[in-house]
Amino acid sequence: MAITIKDVAKFANVAPSTVSRVIADNPRISEKTKKRVREAMEELGYHPNFIARSLASQSTEVIGLVMPGSADKTFQNPFFSNILRGLSESAHEKNYALQMTTGKTVDEIYENVVHMVQGGRVDGLVLLNSRADDKIMEYLRKRDFPFVVIGKPYMHEEEITHVDNDNFRASKEATEYLLELGHESIAFIGGDLSLVVTIDRLLGYEKALRIAGIELNNQYVIHEEFLREGGREAISELLKLSDHPTALVVADDLMALGVLNTLAELNISVPEDISIVSFNNVLFAEVANPQLTSVDINIFTLGYEAAKNLILKINNPNEPVKRIIIPHKLIIRESSAKKP
């Protein structure tokens, strides 16, 4: 026979409504009463029915994650597995579960988000990237649905809680480091230009060159996907130029790996012929050959803070809007050296 709330109430000598409040961890119930009720639940082997509770309270205790593209491509990049570790640890601490939505196109992802929100499947959403003209962000703003963005919103920045790095500054510092090593022909390999992170990193690179009095060369700026293949294609383009660069700022470690593979096949050595600084400092930046100089952006913390602040928002609609900037650090390894 299943144990009910009434059985627990009788055993603990309290009202059934008190048992419900203890299960919901209501602050108005004294610690002494909570202890008595929890002991009764344990003694009787009572487990709250969370599905029934969520129907009653209109809360699912589930956070939705909006992945930036199809799962097969997204999970090729270790950035996302690291960010998921941060998100899940933070959610787990507050007893929230995670639900992912992916899609092959931007429209497909948008449709999936609408189904998630209208179907009441999640209490809030974390957007794992920020795009220019983001339909999802607009939709969530209009519905006043709790969400947090990893990255900087393209518009309404002061109205949307977001967790980000100072990508402009990080890229400027990475470029300045190459300039200090004596490089002047520095190229930039970035991701999709509709991503705000790409725009910020490109602007930081350009600013460093301008301050150094180096003329910008449009042929030195290439945009591809944040994948190994993207890095391969980008470096192939740059090597076709009659005057190819002596150093590269690559906006992602996975792309940088593609660059390294291609250069190795062509017997172009790193850092003797070309120096590389990349971003994210994922595990294989350390195990690559040569090891990659990379900007550590604290990916785990980006995910952790995003989930933490979304749960605060879900539990308190008046939670203030926050701009949380996670620190970065340039980790110098073997892929960068003085210009020969």
Side-chain angles (χ1 to χ4, degrees), residues 200-276:
D200 279 353
R201 287 178 185 173
L202 174 61
L203 292 173
Y205 154 83
E206 289 180 344
K207 179 77 172 175
L209 292 185
R210 261 202 301 277
I211 291 170
I214 293 167
E215 203 175 325
L216 298 176
N217 180 346
N218 289 333
Q219 289 182 306
Y220 276 6
V221 176
I222 312 265
H223 292 282
E224 292 286 350
E225 277 190 283
F226 281 143
L227 295 170
R228 196 160 149 189
E229 222 22 72
R232 281 181 168 280
E233 284 167 25
I235 190 64
S236 303
E237 284 293 305
L238 289 167
L239 293 174
K240 284 179 194 163
L241 301 173
S242 53
D243 187 13
H244 62 70
T246 64
L248 311 171
V249 174
V250 185
D252 179 273
D253 288 334
L254 188 57
M255 292 176 108
L257 196 63
V259 171
L260 282 178
N261 295 155
T262 306
L263 292 174
E265 284 160 18
L266 297 169
N267 289 324
I268 296 171
S269 62
V270 175
E272 290 78 8
D273 300 319
I274 292 185
S275 277
I276 298 174

XYZ file of all heavy atoms in Angstrom, residues 200-276:
597
model
N 32.859 40.532 -31.233
C 33.688 41.123 -30.168
C 35.163 40.767 -30.322
O 36.043 41.600 -30.125
C 33.192 40.658 -28.787
C 31.996 41.466 -28.311
O 31.645 42.447 -28.983
O 31.412 41.121 -27.259
N 35.420 39.500 -30.664
C 36.825 39.071 -30.796
C 37.470 39.707 -32.033
O 38.648 40.058 -32.005
C 36.913 37.541 -30.838
C 36.655 36.941 -29.456
C 36.676 35.435 -29.419
N 36.299 34.966 -28.073
C 36.090 33.702 -27.760
N 36.231 32.755 -28.678
N 35.745 33.364 -26.534
N 36.699 39.878 -33.088
C 37.217 40.539 -34.294
C 37.541 42.008 -33.982
O 38.604 42.520 -34.356
C 36.192 40.452 -35.431
C 36.529 41.220 -36.711
C 37.821 40.709 -37.341
C 35.393 41.130 -37.720
N 36.648 42.689 -33.252
C 36.865 44.104 -32.930
C 38.086 44.289 -32.020
O 38.839 45.252 -32.176
C 35.618 44.699 -32.260
C 34.379 44.832 -33.158
C 33.164 45.257 -32.351
C 34.628 45.830 -34.300
N 38.308 43.344 -31.099
C 39.482 43.419 -30.215
C 40.772 43.279 -31.004
O 41.755 44.001 -30.761
N 40.767 42.347 -31.955
C 41.926 42.122 -32.842
C 42.213 43.393 -33.649
O 43.358 43.867 -33.719
C 41.606 40.925 -33.749
C 42.308 40.871 -35.089
C 43.591 40.356 -35.216
C 41.651 41.313 -36.246
C 44.212 40.284 -36.462
C 42.261 41.243 -37.489
C 43.544 40.731 -37.596
O 44.155 40.664 -38.836
N 41.157 43.959 -34.231
C 41.334 45.170 -35.070
C 41.862 46.341 -34.243
O 42.716 47.097 -34.696
C 40.000 45.539 -35.730
C 39.594 44.547 -36.832
C 38.269 44.897 -37.487
O 37.508 45.708 -36.913
O 37.990 44.337 -38.571
N 41.338 46.477 -33.017
C 41.748 47.595 -32.144
C 43.242 47.509 -31.832
O 43.963 48.504 -31.888
C 40.921 47.538 -30.851
C 41.258 48.614 -29.846
C 40.669 49.955 -30.240
C 40.836 50.976 -29.132
N 40.385 52.312 -29.545
N 43.722 46.289 -31.516
C 45.142 46.119 -31.185
C 46.026 46.514 -32.374
O 47.054 47.171 -32.208
C 45.414 44.672 -30.782
N 45.613 46.112 -33.573
C 46.401 46.460 -34.771
C 46.392 47.960 -35.012
O 47.421 48.550 -35.350
C 45.850 45.729 -36.000
C 46.008 44.198 -36.036
C 45.517 43.660 -37.369
C 47.453 43.762 -35.818
N 45.219 48.588 -34.830
C 45.120 50.039 -35.056
C 46.030 50.800 -34.095
O 46.741 51.719 -34.489
C 43.669 50.505 -34.885
C 42.954 50.662 -36.228
C 41.764 51.592 -36.133
N 40.796 51.103 -35.170
C 39.873 50.187 -35.445
N 39.785 49.679 -36.659
N 39.038 49.791 -34.528
N 46.011 50.389 -32.809
C 46.862 51.067 -31.803
C 48.342 50.916 -32.191
O 49.143 51.828 -32.009
C 46.604 50.492 -30.383
C 45.199 50.892 -29.904
C 47.656 50.962 -29.383
C 44.740 50.197 -28.634
N 48.686 49.753 -32.774
C 50.085 49.502 -33.167
C 50.431 50.177 -34.504
O 51.564 50.093 -34.976
C 50.321 48.003 -33.265
N 49.431 50.849 -35.098
C 49.658 51.550 -36.372
C 49.789 50.616 -37.559
O 50.424 50.949 -38.561
N 49.189 49.417 -37.468
C 49.257 48.452 -38.577
C 47.953 48.509 -39.362
O 46.860 48.436 -38.792
C 49.525 47.022 -38.043
C 50.936 46.972 -37.437
C 49.371 45.973 -39.134
C 51.210 45.733 -36.613
N 48.103 48.649 -40.662
C 46.918 48.760 -41.519
C 46.172 47.421 -41.571
O 46.777 46.358 -41.658
C 47.365 49.147 -42.942
C 46.242 49.810 -43.713
C 46.729 50.306 -45.078
O 47.913 50.741 -45.164
O 45.942 50.232 -46.015
N 44.839 47.503 -41.479
C 44.038 46.270 -41.517
C 44.017 45.719 -42.933
O 43.833 46.465 -43.901
C 42.606 46.560 -41.060
C 42.445 47.075 -39.625
C 40.990 47.403 -39.345
C 42.947 46.064 -38.610
N 44.216 44.420 -43.040
C 44.195 43.758 -44.344
C 42.976 42.829 -44.369
O 42.925 41.826 -43.653
C 45.497 42.950 -44.510
C 45.558 42.218 -45.840
O 44.553 42.077 -46.537
N 46.745 41.753 -46.199
N 41.956 43.175 -45.165
C 40.712 42.397 -45.189
C 40.922 40.937 -45.574
O 40.164 40.061 -45.172
C 39.684 43.034 -46.135
C 39.140 44.335 -45.559
O 39.130 44.493 -44.331
N 38.719 45.254 -46.401
N 41.974 40.683 -46.356
C 42.243 39.298 -46.780
C 42.725 38.439 -45.602
O 42.734 37.225 -45.683
C 43.310 39.291 -47.883
C 42.790 39.837 -49.206
C 43.878 39.753 -50.265
O 44.986 40.254 -50.082
N 43.574 39.103 -51.367
N 43.131 39.118 -44.527
C 43.627 38.410 -43.340
C 42.502 38.044 -42.353
O 42.789 37.553 -41.268
C 44.664 39.270 -42.611
C 46.068 39.168 -43.166
C 46.339 38.442 -44.325
C 47.142 39.793 -42.527
C 47.627 38.361 -44.823
C 48.441 39.719 -43.024
C 48.671 38.992 -44.176
O 49.949 38.908 -44.661
N 41.267 38.350 -42.721
C 40.141 38.020 -41.830
C 39.261 36.978 -42.501
O 38.702 37.217 -43.566
C 39.323 39.286 -41.481
C 38.107 38.919 -40.630
C 40.194 40.284 -40.727
N 39.175 35.797 -41.890
C 38.405 34.683 -42.475
C 37.391 34.191 -41.451
O 37.713 34.080 -40.261
C 39.353 33.493 -42.830
C 40.575 33.961 -43.608
C 38.599 32.373 -43.521
C 40.508 33.882 -45.095
N 36.175 33.894 -41.919
C 35.139 33.369 -41.019
C 34.689 31.989 -41.465
O 34.341 31.788 -42.628
C 33.936 34.320 -40.971
C 34.272 35.611 -40.312
N 34.369 35.743 -38.952
C 34.596 36.828 -40.830
C 34.727 36.977 -38.660
N 34.875 37.648 -39.778
N 34.722 31.061 -40.526
C 34.279 29.679 -40.794
C 33.507 29.177 -39.574
O 33.337 29.905 -38.611
C 35.507 28.771 -41.036
C 36.278 29.070 -42.317
C 35.584 28.622 -43.597
O 34.572 27.892 -43.504
O 36.053 29.002 -44.682
N 33.091 27.904 -39.612
C 32.396 27.334 -38.453
C 33.403 26.995 -37.353
O 34.563 26.710 -37.623
C 31.665 26.056 -38.865
C 30.315 26.339 -39.485
C 29.516 25.054 -39.656
O 29.805 24.304 -40.593
O 28.623 24.814 -38.831
N 32.911 26.985 -36.081
C 33.759 26.636 -34.945
C 34.022 25.127 -34.929
O 33.706 24.427 -33.971
C 33.077 27.025 -33.628
C 33.188 28.492 -33.289
C 32.126 29.145 -32.686
C 34.341 29.207 -33.545
C 32.213 30.497 -32.349
C 34.445 30.555 -33.214
C 33.370 31.204 -32.619
N 34.593 24.619 -36.012
C 34.869 23.186 -36.130
C 36.280 23.013 -36.685
O 36.865 23.936 -37.255
C 33.867 22.512 -37.082
C 32.399 22.487 -36.642
C 31.513 22.011 -37.781
C 32.207 21.590 -35.426
N 36.790 21.793 -36.569
C 38.133 21.501 -37.081
C 38.200 21.787 -38.580
O 39.174 22.346 -39.088
C 38.400 20.020 -36.802
C 39.841 19.637 -36.906
C 40.015 18.346 -36.157
N 41.055 17.529 -36.740
C 41.279 16.287 -36.366
N 40.530 15.735 -35.443
N 42.246 15.595 -36.897
N 37.124 21.394 -39.269
C 37.039 21.609 -40.718
C 37.141 23.101 -41.049
O 37.765 23.497 -42.033
C 35.680 21.072 -41.204
C 35.692 20.288 -42.492
C 37.023 19.676 -42.896
O 37.473 18.701 -42.283
O 37.622 20.205 -43.844
N 36.502 23.933 -40.201
C 36.538 25.387 -40.394
C 37.960 25.911 -40.351
O 38.362 26.760 -41.161
N 38.748 25.398 -39.419
C 40.157 25.808 -39.304
C 40.960 25.403 -40.525
O 41.788 26.171 -41.034
N 40.693 24.183 -41.008
C 41.396 23.684 -42.212
C 41.133 24.603 -43.411
O 42.044 24.991 -44.137
C 40.897 22.273 -42.572
C 41.502 21.173 -41.726
C 40.954 19.820 -42.206
N 41.682 18.709 -41.638
C 42.852 18.263 -42.067
N 43.449 18.845 -43.085
N 43.448 17.235 -41.497
N 39.840 24.930 -43.597
C 39.465 25.762 -44.762
C 40.067 27.163 -44.654
O 40.532 27.724 -45.636
C 37.942 25.812 -44.882
C 37.387 24.512 -45.459
C 35.884 24.389 -45.312
O 35.216 25.432 -45.224
O 35.391 23.240 -45.312
N 40.042 27.714 -43.426
C 40.533 29.081 -43.235
C 42.030 29.192 -43.530
O 42.469 30.099 -44.247
C 40.246 29.524 -41.803
N 42.827 28.262 -43.008
C 44.278 28.362 -43.222
C 44.616 28.098 -44.690
O 45.529 28.716 -45.255
C 45.080 27.439 -42.257
C 46.586 27.743 -42.335
C 44.811 25.970 -42.492
C 47.004 29.104 -41.887
N 43.841 27.229 -45.349
C 44.067 26.980 -46.785
C 43.874 28.267 -47.580
O 44.638 28.569 -48.501
C 43.107 25.898 -47.294
O 43.271 24.720 -46.529
N 42.842 29.047 -47.205
C 42.588 30.354 -47.862
C 43.776 31.294 -47.654
O 44.254 31.939 -48.590
C 41.351 31.023 -47.241
C 40.018 30.444 -47.661
C 39.718 30.691 -49.123
O 39.744 31.874 -49.530
O 39.500 29.710 -49.868
N 44.252 31.375 -46.406
C 45.331 32.319 -46.073
C 46.640 31.959 -46.773
O 47.411 32.839 -47.160
C 45.545 32.368 -44.554
C 44.434 33.055 -43.749
C 44.589 32.775 -42.259
C 44.436 34.570 -43.996
N 46.875 30.658 -46.947
C 48.136 30.235 -47.575
C 48.149 30.480 -49.083
O 49.195 30.421 -49.715
C 48.423 28.766 -47.256
C 48.730 28.466 -45.774
C 48.857 26.977 -45.534
C 50.002 29.192 -45.304
N 46.974 30.749 -49.641
C 46.915 31.059 -51.082
C 47.411 32.487 -51.352
O 47.722 32.841 -52.477
C 45.461 30.950 -51.583
C 44.983 29.513 -51.764
C 43.531 29.527 -52.230
C 42.902 28.145 -52.088
N 41.423 28.231 -52.133
N 47.433 33.323 -50.303
C 47.849 34.721 -50.489
C 49.347 34.779 -50.775
O 50.120 33.989 -50.231
C 47.542 35.543 -49.227
C 46.072 35.602 -48.772
C 45.964 36.307 -47.435
C 45.220 36.327 -49.819
N 49.745 35.741 -51.621
C 51.165 35.839 -51.969
C 51.990 36.226 -50.735
O 53.119 35.785 -50.550
C 51.354 36.878 -53.079
O 50.746 38.098 -52.676
N 51.383 37.040 -49.860
C 52.089 37.461 -48.655
C 51.328 36.898 -47.462
O 50.437 37.543 -46.921
C 52.099 39.002 -48.624
C 52.955 39.537 -47.489
O 53.717 38.744 -46.917
O 52.826 40.732 -47.164
N 51.645 35.645 -47.070
C 50.796 35.072 -46.015
C 51.274 35.459 -44.613
O 52.431 35.825 -44.408
C 50.578 33.561 -46.191
C 51.797 32.724 -46.119
N 52.486 32.532 -44.949
C 52.431 31.996 -47.074
C 53.485 31.726 -45.172
N 53.495 31.399 -46.457
N 50.363 35.420 -43.624
C 50.672 35.916 -42.274
C 51.732 35.084 -41.560
O 51.935 33.911 -41.873
C 49.325 35.806 -41.548
C 48.542 34.799 -42.312
C 48.981 34.894 -43.727
N 52.376 35.731 -40.569
C 53.354 35.000 -39.740
C 52.736 34.598 -38.401
O 53.356 33.889 -37.621
C 54.605 35.857 -39.461
O 54.204 37.002 -38.666
C 55.267 36.327 -40.743
N 51.518 35.103 -38.141
C 50.850 34.759 -36.876
C 49.336 34.769 -37.072
O 48.812 35.459 -37.955
C 51.242 35.736 -35.778
N 48.646 33.992 -36.229
C 47.190 33.873 -36.322
C 46.551 34.030 -34.950
O 47.040 33.493 -33.965
C 46.781 32.486 -36.834
C 47.431 31.900 -38.081
C 47.022 30.444 -38.238
C 47.021 32.704 -39.313
N 45.425 34.749 -34.925
C 44.526 34.719 -33.763
C 43.341 33.875 -34.213
O 42.652 34.223 -35.179
C 44.049 36.144 -33.369
C 42.993 36.062 -32.259
C 45.227 37.005 -32.920
N 43.136 32.730 -33.546
C 42.066 31.802 -33.951
C 41.023 31.793 -32.840
O 41.346 31.554 -31.672
C 42.630 30.376 -34.176
C 41.539 29.459 -34.713
C 43.807 30.421 -35.141
N 39.753 32.055 -33.196
C 38.725 32.289 -32.176
C 38.242 31.040 -31.452
O 37.320 31.115 -30.652
C 37.541 33.022 -32.809
N 38.860 29.877 -31.710
C 38.382 28.656 -31.070
C 39.454 27.563 -31.186
O 40.054 27.390 -32.245
C 37.088 28.219 -31.771
C 36.518 26.945 -31.204
O 36.917 25.862 -31.649
O 35.666 27.030 -30.317
N 39.673 26.810 -30.087
C 40.712 25.763 -30.084
C 40.467 24.671 -31.121
O 41.421 24.128 -31.688
C 40.788 25.089 -28.700
C 41.397 25.994 -27.634
O 42.175 26.888 -27.991
O 41.085 25.795 -26.447
N 39.190 24.305 -31.327
C 38.905 23.227 -32.283
C 39.300 23.658 -33.698
O 39.866 22.880 -34.469
C 37.417 22.842 -32.230
C 37.013 21.606 -33.030
C 37.792 20.371 -32.602
C 35.513 21.337 -32.897
N 39.030 24.932 -34.024
C 39.469 25.465 -35.318
C 40.997 25.450 -35.396
O 41.578 25.094 -36.423
C 38.992 26.912 -35.500
C 37.519 27.075 -35.659
S 37.137 28.840 -35.728
C 36.705 29.026 -37.431
N 41.631 25.839 -34.281
C 43.101 25.887 -34.248
C 43.697 24.498 -34.494
O 44.754 24.365 -35.117
C 43.579 26.445 -32.910
N 42.997 23.464 -34.026
C 43.457 22.100 -34.252
C 43.440 21.779 -35.751
O 44.380 21.174 -36.286
C 42.566 21.113 -33.487
C 43.123 19.705 -33.309
C 44.394 19.717 -32.475
C 42.086 18.790 -32.651
N 42.386 22.220 -36.429
C 42.300 22.059 -37.888
C 43.438 22.788 -38.596
O 44.023 22.278 -39.552
N 43.778 23.973 -38.086
C 44.894 24.761 -38.637
C 46.207 23.988 -38.456
O 46.990 23.831 -39.405
C 44.982 26.152 -37.950
C 46.254 26.879 -38.364
C 43.757 26.996 -38.275
N 46.433 23.470 -37.251
C 47.665 22.716 -36.963
C 47.801 21.496 -37.873
O 48.881 21.227 -38.416
C 47.674 22.239 -35.501
C 48.028 23.249 -34.412
C 47.925 22.600 -33.043
C 49.423 23.829 -34.604
N 46.695 20.746 -38.039
C 46.714 19.552 -38.895
C 47.115 19.902 -40.324
O 47.959 19.237 -40.928
C 45.334 18.880 -38.934
C 44.893 18.330 -37.589
O 43.712 18.196 -37.328
N 45.829 18.020 -36.714
N 46.505 20.971 -40.852
C 46.773 21.379 -42.234
C 48.221 21.830 -42.402
O 48.894 21.452 -43.367
C 45.800 22.512 -42.655
O 44.476 22.064 -42.408
C 45.951 22.874 -44.119
N 48.714 22.624 -41.455
C 50.098 23.112 -41.537
C 51.090 21.948 -41.457
O 52.091 21.921 -42.178
C 50.375 24.134 -40.426
C 49.635 25.477 -40.556
C 49.865 26.343 -39.327
C 50.057 26.243 -41.819
N 50.785 20.957 -40.607
C 51.670 19.787 -40.470
C 51.744 19.023 -41.794
O 52.826 18.600 -42.228
C 51.162 18.877 -39.353
N 50.581 18.879 -42.463
C 50.553 18.160 -43.755
C 51.395 18.888 -44.809
O 51.945 18.270 -45.717
C 49.101 18.050 -44.260
C 48.288 16.985 -43.513
C 46.786 17.207 -43.650
O 46.361 17.944 -44.565
O 46.037 16.639 -42.828
N 51.474 20.226 -44.677
C 52.206 21.033 -45.672
C 53.660 21.295 -45.241
O 54.361 22.101 -45.853
C 51.480 22.372 -45.880
C 50.048 22.268 -46.449
C 49.339 23.604 -46.363
C 50.086 21.784 -47.900
N 54.067 20.644 -44.147
C 55.422 20.836 -43.603
C 55.733 22.289 -43.248
O 56.858 22.751 -43.406
C 56.486 20.298 -44.574
C 56.460 18.781 -44.606
O 56.224 18.143 -43.578
N 56.679 18.213 -45.781
N 54.700 22.999 -42.807
C 54.914 24.369 -42.304
C 54.936 24.251 -40.787
O 54.002 23.723 -40.195
C 53.784 25.322 -42.768
C 53.798 25.439 -44.298
C 53.910 26.684 -42.100
C 52.622 26.176 -44.888
N 56.028 24.688 -40.161
C 56.125 24.394 -38.728
C 55.626 25.545 -37.851
O 55.769 26.726 -38.164
C 57.531 23.971 -38.352
O 58.424 25.001 -38.621
N 54.990 25.125 -36.746
C 54.468 26.045 -35.734
C 55.327 25.846 -34.480
O 55.517 24.719 -34.055
C 52.987 25.676 -35.424
C 52.445 26.529 -34.285
C 52.111 25.831 -36.670
N 55.898 26.888 -33.882
C 55.731 28.312 -34.184
C 56.819 28.898 -35.093
O 56.831 30.105 -35.312
C 55.847 28.927 -32.788
C 56.879 28.069 -32.105
C 56.667 26.674 -32.650
N 57.757 28.037 -35.609
C 58.896 28.579 -36.378
C 58.441 29.404 -37.588
O 58.980 30.479 -37.861
C 59.823 27.447 -36.846
C 60.608 26.789 -35.719
C 59.793 25.800 -34.897
O 58.639 25.493 -35.297
O 60.291 25.341 -33.856
N 57.437 28.900 -38.331
C 56.968 29.628 -39.527
C 55.728 30.469 -39.228
O 55.590 31.581 -39.734
C 56.638 28.633 -40.655
C 57.853 27.802 -41.045
O 58.954 28.384 -41.110
O 57.710 26.582 -41.259
N 54.823 29.909 -38.433
C 53.577 30.626 -38.094
C 53.282 30.423 -36.612
O 53.295 29.290 -36.122
C 52.376 30.112 -38.946
C 52.551 30.491 -40.421
C 51.050 30.666 -38.418
C 51.376 30.137 -41.328
N 53.016 31.524 -35.906
C 52.616 31.442 -34.490
C 51.095 31.435 -34.390
O 50.410 32.053 -35.219
C 53.152 32.650 -33.717
O 54.493 32.432 -33.343
N 50.578 30.755 -33.364
C 49.119 30.669 -33.191
C 48.743 30.954 -31.740
O 49.341 30.427 -30.812
C 48.590 29.256 -33.561
C 48.871 28.932 -35.032
C 47.087 29.139 -33.274
C 48.516 27.499 -35.433
